[in-house]
Amino acid sequence: MRKLFGSGLIISGFLYLVFLLTIYPHLVGGYGGGEQMILTHSNQFTDALYLNGDISVKLTSDTPFTVKIDGEKVGEFKMYSARFKGEHLIEVESNQECIVYVELRQHPSLIKYAISLVLIGAGSLILASEKEQKIEVNTGKPIL
């Protein structure tokens, strides 16, 4: 039974680690992994990111666009990438018609990585202690 529990912990920790590295970055709450904005000379797009945590934003277009972060002009870009923590107001404007693609990625905290490693470590310790008990029973001598 302990062997099954230890194996379950190792598998759970490994699957959680794989989830953190592959799927979790694309699950940005309320936004998904990306958006598309269509800008013309008469409109602009404002996106308020109300997110907790660590988020990377990448904006790309074939046509130059202007980026403002929290009301301050950052510059004119064809590709803009930044990493934010907390809440920020991102505004994207263009004087000409363009399509801007937005990619959002969140970064797992160290605590989440630590949880997966603790699960793997605890499962490994349980399996190691199970093997020591078997050796002790078979030889009749305690292991020092």
Side-chain angles (χ1 to χ4, degrees), residues 35-41 43-46 57-69 72-82 84 90-103:
E35 292 184 17
Q36 175 179 304
M37 301 178 272
I38 300 174
L39 305 175
T40 64
H41 67 280
N43 76 343
Q44 65 183 21
F45 184 87
T46 302
V57 177
K58 181 179 178 185
L59 305 168
T60 55
S61 177
D62 292 336
T63 309
F65 55 89
T66 304
V67 176
K68 292 181 183 178
I69 306 294
E72 294 184 29
K73 184 176 177 180
V74 178
E76 193 168 299
F77 306 95
K78 285 189 175 183
M79 202 263 316
Y80 175 77
S81 180
F84 299 104
I90 298 176
E91 298 176 75
V92 181
E93 304 172 348
S94 179
N95 293 332
Q96 49 191 323
E97 188 172 321
C98 72
I99 298 174
V100 180
Y101 298 96
V102 182
E103 291 180 33

Side-chain angles (χ1 to χ4, degrees), residues 13 16-22 24-25 83 106-120:
Y16 186 57
L17 184 61
V18 169
F19 169 77
L20 289 176
L21 294 172
T22 58
Y24 181 81
R83 192 167 174 170
Q106 61 183 347
H107 304 281
S109 66
L110 291 177
I111 293 171
K112 293 182 182 196
Y113 286 119
I115 290 170
S116 67
L117 295 176
V118 165
L119 288 172
I120 293 170

